[in-house]
Amino acid sequence: PRAFLQPRSSGFSVMLAAATVAASALVCSPGLTPMAVQVRAPAPVVMAAETSRRDLLSTVAAAGAAALAPAAAFADGAASKNTREKVFIQQGSRVWRLQSADAATILSEKNAFKIFAEGAYAGLKEKKPLSKELNALGDKAVKAAKAGDSSGAQAAVKEFVALAKITKEQDTVKGGSFNPKQRRNAGDPPTEAIEGQMGTEVGALYGNMKLK
């Protein structure tokens, strides 16, 4: 048994020694780069390149957005005559209906005051004082409504209506272009044109699926 095991043990030692020598040769050879260096050395360079590329793209994107911002504001009509008219009619009608409403109803519609005060005069510098006064009256109405003071809230609403020169409820006028119940984008094209095109199916424009 000793004679049988000895050769195997010697052979294993020889193989182990050979493997060790080969590994040392690979690591120490001047013509070769160790595996650890091959994997890790490029990493900082790649990361730096990626970081620089991200910074460059972010800078270009920011500059492009800044350049296009005025055009975008103009394109969506943020302060156009048409959007001011839309706000005046829709939000003004909401406020108009609150003149005789109870405190709870006025409180539920509180955002109409602010939307009207800032949107109906958007882009008009000369109307800023008026907008400020309307905001104050809206806050007054909401404050009274929160306190459960219906008469006080109604009085503030009436002051708001008088100052803004809201003369009637306009969003439900037949043929109007800003009825919030219409099943389309309010304001364009005119309701009269759409009703004419729909003919006997005009009821669908207002959500009535029982077409005539």
Side-chain angles (χ1 to χ4, degrees):
R2 277 185 170 178
F4 179 74
L5 292 173
Q6 185 65 32
R8 291 186 64 184
S9 178
S10 299
F12 179 79
S13 298
V14 171
M15 291 175 63
L16 180 60
T20 303
V21 171
S24 299
L26 285 172
V27 172
C28 299
S29 175
L32 296 175
T33 303
M35 185 176 295
V37 176
Q38 290 180 355
V39 174
R40 296 179 182 177
V45 178
V46 173
M47 289 176 65
E50 290 179 350
T51 301
S52 299
R53 184 180 181 185
R54 276 198 303 270
D55 291 342
L56 177 61
L57 291 176
S58 297
T59 302
V60 172
L68 293 175
F74 178 82
D76 69 9
S80 69
K81 180 180 178 181
N82 187 63
T83 53
R84 286 194 293 268
E85 180 186 11
K86 176 181 176 180
V87 172
F88 194 99
I89 291 175
Q90 288 187 329
Q91 306 307 319
S93 297
R94 288 176 67 189
V95 174
W96 175 268
R97 289 189 284 268
L98 297 177
Q99 292 181 94
S100 57
D102 57 28
T105 302
I106 292 174
L107 198 56
S108 69
E109 291 280 81
K110 64 181 181 180
N111 64 339
F113 299 109
K114 193 170 190 66
I115 295 174
F116 181 95
E118 297 181 1
Y121 311 103
L124 302 177
K125 293 182 179 180
E126 67 276 14
K127 295 292 185 179
K128 283 188 175 181
L130 174 59
S131 180
K132 186 176 180 180
E133 288 185 65
L134 289 172
N135 266 321
L137 286 173
D139 291 342
K140 181 180 177 181
V142 172
K143 184 178 179 180
K146 285 182 177 178
D149 181 5
S150 294
S151 60
Q154 290 170 1
V157 172
K158 289 175 181 178
E159 286 185 69
F160 188 105
V161 168
L163 182 61
K165 297 181 180 179
I166 303 170
T167 57
K168 61 182 179 179
E169 183 180 4
Q170 300 183 69
D171 61 347
T172 57
V173 174
K174 185 177 180 180
S177 296
F178 299 106
N179 189 329
K181 294 182 180 180
Q182 289 178 344
R183 301 166 66 86
R184 67 179 181 87
N185 293 327
D188 187 25
T191 297
E192 184 179 357
I194 293 180
E195 289 179 345
Q197 292 171 2
M198 296 185 73
T200 57
E201 298 183 348
V202 68
L205 180 62
Y206 299 93
N208 178 12
M209 300 313 295
K210 292 182 180 180
L211 306 180
K212 297 180 180 180

